């Protein structure tokens, strides 16, 4: 696989992940995190849904699903919710910086 082909595949993944939006029920099934817990994390500002109006179905993007999985993993290891959220926030910032460098061709 040439470098151009690899870049093309990578950009497809970014495009796909940018468009990925999943309802709260599916997120709960995928992650094993109860919907009640997801709502609580959202109320605390740890994750965010793409739903702006009250009463509408909550929908989550890839970034927030990834956050939930990382938080769940840390909590399973014994971290508190707040400590997990802080660690994940820092980790997500590092990941975002790295992805931006990749997207921009290491400029």
């Amino acid at each position: 696989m040439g470098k151009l082909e690899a870049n093309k595949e990578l950009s497809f993944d970014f495009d796909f992940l940018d468009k990925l939006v999943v309802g709260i029920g599916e997120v709960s099934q995928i992650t094993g995190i109860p919907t009640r817990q997801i709502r609580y994390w959202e109320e605390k500002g740890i994750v965010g849904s793409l739903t702006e109006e009250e009463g509408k179905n909550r929908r989550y993007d890839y970034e927030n699903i990834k956050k939930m999985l990382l938080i769940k993993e840390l909590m399973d290891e014994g971290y508190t919710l707040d400590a997990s959220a802080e660690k994940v926030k820092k980790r997500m910032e590092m990941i975002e910086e790295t992805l931006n460098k990749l997207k921009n061709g290491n400029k």
Side-chain angles (χ1 to χ4, degrees):
M1 182 185 305
K3 189 173 182 179
L4 186 60
E5 290 174 54
N7 284 343
K8 196 172 184 180
E9 283 184 21
L10 193 59
S11 67
F12 169 77
D13 287 346
F14 283 122
D15 290 343
F16 173 73
L17 293 178
D18 284 345
K19 293 175 185 144
L20 181 69
V21 179
V22 183
I24 192 168
E26 291 89 347
V27 173
S28 179
Q29 286 181 323
I30 293 165
T31 61
I33 302 167
T35 55
R36 188 178 74 249
Q37 195 168 13
I38 295 170
R39 285 189 197 99
Y40 177 68
W41 292 359
E42 189 176 344
E43 285 169 18
K44 285 194 67 146
I46 295 168
V47 297
S49 72
L50 304 176
T51 309
E52 294 175 11
E53 299 174 46
E54 276 301 311
K56 294 280 186 180
N57 289 339
R58 287 174 163 90
R59 300 179 66 71
Y60 299 89
D61 60 7
Y62 173 77
E63 183 178 333
N64 279 289
I65 295 168
K66 181 72 174 167
K67 275 186 195 176
M68 290 179 218
L69 287 169
L70 292 171
I71 290 169
K72 180 180 186 289
E73 183 180 313
L74 289 168
M75 289 178 69
D76 288 348
E77 291 173 9
Y79 286 88
T80 64
L81 174 59
D82 290 337
S84 299
E86 188 57 33
K87 282 180 81 74
V88 168
K89 182 180 173 197
K90 289 179 181 167
R91 195 182 298 181
M92 294 298 283
E93 287 168 0
M94 275 181 22
I95 291 168
E96 194 169 330
E97 281 178 36
T98 304
L99 288 178
N100 284 336
K101 287 177 187 173
L102 288 172
K103 276 185 181 180
N104 297 325
N106 293 322
K107 291 178 186 169

